[in-house]
Amino acid sequence: MTGSSTSQVGLPPRPFLYSLDQVADLVAVDLATLRKRHVFYDRVSPGIPPRDLLLARNIAADSDKPVWRVAERELLRWLRYRGFRVHSRGWLTS
């Protein structure tokens, strides 16, 4: 930027990545049950992810042990599909 004037740049919010144990706690399901019945593992599970499964992606390097995470947007989609009501919180500032 040139000049002495400053302007604000609106950046999009960073996506939050949930671990599978966090998701299990949120929906009150045993972690083993969540992993076995409700998660589609990207690049591991065969085929196209069904709508009723939660898409988890490995964020670890290829040579490391998998670290599975679920994007916030994907979690919200899956929760709505499963019949949960999702409410957004707004914050007021003065």
Side-chain angles (χ1 to χ4, degrees), residues 1-2 7 9 13 18 25-27 33 36 39 47 53 60 62-64 69 72 81 84-86 88:
M1 257 172 29
T2 61
S7 60
V9 176
Y18 290 90
D25 286 343
L26 284 170
V27 295
T33 303
K36 191 180 290 185
V39 177
L53 294 183
D62 290 338
S63 60
D64 294 340
R69 294 291 186 265
E72 183 175 29
Y81 183 85
F84 288 89
R85 295 182 78 190
V86 179
S88 298

Side-chain angles (χ1 to χ4, degrees), residues 6-27:
T6 61
S7 60
Q8 296 180 354
V9 176
L11 297 175
R14 290 185 175 187
F16 186 81
L17 301 176
Y18 290 90
S19 64
L20 294 181
D21 60 330
Q22 288 175 318
V23 174
D25 286 343
L26 284 170
V27 295

Side-chain angles (χ1 to χ4, degrees), residues 57-74:
R57 294 202 160 111
N58 180 13
I59 62 168
D62 290 338
S63 60
D64 294 340
K65 181 180 175 185
V67 177
W68 297 103
R69 294 291 186 265
V70 175
E72 183 175 29
R73 184 177 228 165
E74 170 64 11

